[in-house]
Amino acid sequence: MIERSLQALRQALAAREISSVELTQLYLDRIARHDPQLNAFITVDQTRSLAQARAADEQLARGEAGPLTGIPIAHKDIFCTRGWLTTCGSKILGNFVSPYDAAVIARFAAAGAVLIGKTNMDEFAMGSSNETSFYGPVKNPWDASCVPGGSSGGSAAAVAARLAPAATGTDTGGSIRQPAALCNLTGMKPTYGVVSRYGMIAFASSLDQAGPLARSAADCALLLNTMAGFDERDSTSLDRPLEDYSRELNVPPGDKPLAGLRIGLPDEFFGEGCSPEVMRLVEAAIADYRQLGAETVAISLPSTHLSVAAYYVIAPAEASSNLARFDGVRYGYRAPQYQDLNDLYSKTRAQGFGAEVKRRILIGTYVLSHGYYDAYYLQAQRIRRLIADDFAKAFRQCDVIVGPTSPSTAFKLGEKAADPVQMYLSDIYTIAVNLAGLPAISIPCGFAGGLPAGLQLIGDYFTETRLLNVAHRYQQTSSWHLQQPGGFA
Ligand code: GLN
């Protein structure tokens, strides 16, 4: 069962080959057996998950199944979930039981999915290694001495070790795609505004976007069908006609399924900065794409080298404002002893936030302050425009932009923890995509030294269906995405 695609699980449930209660119990047992080594989950609640599974079985019996009825899905602990602890990886929300559901949670519930657990993550989604979580680091199932990537590292480790058939993540600068690459998964960040941010705890609101983490592009398409859609409670949600993101996948492949597709290869992604082993795998994947009928064109994204710097002004600026709400007054952690209101605020925040979150609040407050705003924040916004313009120009020459997802395979736990700039450079290929608001997907493209590497495909706005199809065609003729880590029987 644990090898089956979401589509196959759906069929097995419909045919009564297995019940949702049995399937859910199977995954709960796997979590109990393997999660102590991985630390991928913050909250698992057998009783609630099984109650949802029983309700799903009743729905199936009545013939009222939705697209995901009875299928267990893990959710990143950034999504407010009614009646469940929702920590965002932080001590400051360590006692927060959400009174309401995020839009993403509600949509999965409406589609009949069973919530199998809330996954570990970097604190407030700030990180690339899952080491900033108050609940401890997550281990990479491919090598427990390595990080799974971040910030959606718990979701990625859970799916890679087959502790859940699929999961959700969020991506502000790479947090779906980079852990997907480091754990041999397929992960997609949709166009900004496609998935509602309502109830998704905000880090950098103009960059944050939720998306699927799964074992294949076909599974991601099914998940995105459930996640996407207009929501008037999110002022940046886009009111567009609903799409079936799977619609191109079932067209028979033929000999050259990608004939006519123009793949853009940006000079800036193929220079220095990427490890030679990862680059070899990326180049081999590009050769495979030529076999599938695609042609390649050289393009340039000249402002790429500015993207990390601009991001680390804009994201902290927005975070410093978003995180002002955690003050110990209405919900969450409150310092046990304080003198007056100011002391309550400062002790609560000093004790409740970890070091990386504090660093970002300080940077953000600084770049927004009088006298520095023009020099930093305004400049960064201008760079953001240049980056978006680079992509707009590139998409006149090509349909999809391809390169590495991450400059290296999974690094060792602790290796970059002391050096924030090294950590920030993990997202050198992913961050520009968030600054421009574009969709992108990471797919497995091979192994170096036993660790997986990811290929990133970036599309123009609202081309999720095509991106998923381009990823799917590669997965029809390659088997990298089917490889799984040993030791999780
Ligand atoms: N690693 C980046 C950061 O630390 C991106 C995180 C994310 O996408 N949530 O901000």
Side-chain angles (χ1 to χ4, degrees):
M1 273 302 154
I2 62 166
E3 286 325 306
R4 299 207 190 176
S5 67
L6 295 183
Q7 182 68 33
L9 285 178
R10 187 161 145 183
Q11 282 156 2
L13 286 160
R16 321 315 284 272
E17 208 184 306
I18 190 166
S19 70
S20 175
V21 167
E22 287 162 343
L23 188 63
T24 302
Q25 191 65 57
L26 178 106
Y27 279 104
L28 288 169
D29 291 345
R30 291 185 60 75
I31 292 170
R33 194 153 67 241
H34 299 299
D35 199 49
Q37 295 102 273
L38 295 174
N39 196 29
F41 287 88
I42 293 176
T43 304
V44 178
D45 185 334
Q46 296 242 8
T47 314
R48 279 172 189 274
S49 297
L50 288 170
Q52 291 186 7
R54 272 192 297 278
D57 280 331
E58 281 161 24
Q59 247 187 313
L60 284 157
R62 288 196 303 267
E64 293 168 3
L68 297 173
T69 297
I71 299 180
I73 305 285
H75 290 300
K76 186 175 182 178
D77 208 21
I78 198 168
F79 294 104
C80 285
T81 311
R82 190 153 66 102
W84 289 65
L85 194 63
T86 298
T87 69
C88 215
S90 183
K91 176 178 177 182
I92 213 159
L93 287 174
N95 60 2
F96 176 63
V97 176
S98 175
Y100 74 106
D101 277 335
V104 165
I105 300 286
R107 284 181 160 273
F108 275 100
V114 171
L115 170 44
I116 195 77
K118 304 288 300 286
T119 59
N120 204 344
M121 55 180 286
D122 278 301
E123 186 177 6
F124 287 102
M126 298 175 187
S128 305
S129 67
N130 229 291
E131 292 167 294
T132 73
S133 170
F134 177 67
Y135 303 91
V138 177
K139 314 286 166 54
N140 189 317
W142 291 92
D143 179 344
S145 69
C146 291
V147 305
S151 64
S152 311
S155 287
V159 178
R162 287 21 178 186
L163 307 188
T168 54
T170 62
D171 192 314
T172 303
S175 281
I176 291 174
R177 290 161 286 157
Q178 185 253 15
L182 271 45
C183 291
N184 205 45
L185 297 176
T186 303
M188 177 172 236
K189 182 202 98 70
T191 306
Y192 183 79
V194 161
V195 177
S196 168
R197 290 184 298 107
Y198 177 78
M200 185 175 115
I201 296 170
F203 160 15
S205 309
S206 76
L207 302 162
D208 299 341
Q209 188 63 196
L213 264 161
R215 298 190 322 249
S216 67
D219 282 1
C220 282
L222 287 180
L223 296 166
L224 191 59
N225 279 348
T226 292
M227 298 175 83
F230 175 63
D231 182 357
E232 61 185 13
R233 298 167 302 179
D234 168 3
S235 63
T236 60
S237 168
L238 294 166
D239 194 358
R240 294 172 53 84
L242 280 182
E243 265 188 69
D244 174 5
Y245 295 102
S246 311
R247 69 180 184 274
E248 288 185 10
L249 307 189
N250 301 325
V251 179
D255 195 23
K256 297 273 181 212
L258 297 179
L261 182 81
R262 296 167 304 164
I263 291 182
L265 304 176
D267 292 342
E268 295 75 9
F269 286 11
F270 293 86
E272 54 193 48
C274 187
S275 80
E277 310 86 73
V278 170
M279 195 41 83
R280 257 197 305 280
L281 297 170
V282 166
E283 274 163 359
I286 293 167
D288 292 341
Y289 267 113
R290 290 198 189 95
Q291 289 298 315
L292 291 169
E295 53 181 285
T296 52
V297 281
I299 59 161
S300 178
L301 299 170
S303 306
T304 299
H305 67 288
L306 301 171
S307 61
V308 173
Y311 174 89
Y312 279 99
V313 170
I314 293 168
E318 295 186 20
S320 70
S321 166
N322 276 325
L323 271 55
R325 71 190 61 159
F326 302 105
D327 58 7
V329 175
R330 284 157 300 177
Y331 52 84
Y333 175 78
R334 177 184 298 175
Q337 275 160 3
Y338 49 87
Q339 313 272 305
D340 54 21
L341 186 61
N342 264 327
D343 199 39
L344 161 73
Y345 291 152
S346 51
K347 290 217 169 87
T348 295
R349 288 166 68 83
Q351 295 164 18
F353 289 136
E356 183 61 27
V357 173
K358 285 177 188 157
R359 176 165 24 242
R360 307 249 183 145
I361 293 172
L362 285 172
I363 296 171
T365 311
Y366 180 83
V367 300
L368 289 175
S369 58
H370 184 71
Y372 296 105
Y373 181 92
D374 288 3
Y376 296 108
Y377 186 73
L378 207 61
Q379 281 298 88
Q381 293 290 18
R382 291 193 176 118
I383 292 170
R384 187 173 188 173
R385 165 53 53 198
L386 292 179
I387 288 169
D389 288 348
D390 277 2
F391 280 113
K393 268 189 217 123
F395 284 122
R396 275 180 230 137
Q397 293 168 265
C398 66
D399 307 304
V400 178
I401 296 171
V402 168
T405 304
S406 166
S408 71
T409 56
F411 45 92
K412 295 280 182 202
L413 282 151
E415 187 180 324
K416 300 188 181 180
D419 185 345
V421 174
Q422 275 310 310
M423 190 70 88
Y424 297 170
L425 289 172
S426 306
D427 297 312
I428 163 165
Y429 301 119
T430 50
I431 272 179
V433 171
N434 299 73
L435 289 168
L438 293 165
I441 188 167
S442 179
I443 58 174
C445 69
F447 290 80
L451 291 169
L455 183 80
Q456 179 174 223
L457 315 169
I458 305 168
D460 205 350
Y461 301 106
F462 310 114
T463 58
E464 283 82 0
T465 302
R466 174 158 68 193
L467 273 181
L468 287 159
N469 184 47
V470 173
H472 176 67
R473 297 303 167 187
Y474 179 77
Q475 293 182 336
Q476 280 184 316
T477 55
S478 67
S479 60
W480 301 122
H481 66 293
L482 302 174
Q483 309 299 312
Q484 48 174 306
F488 297 97

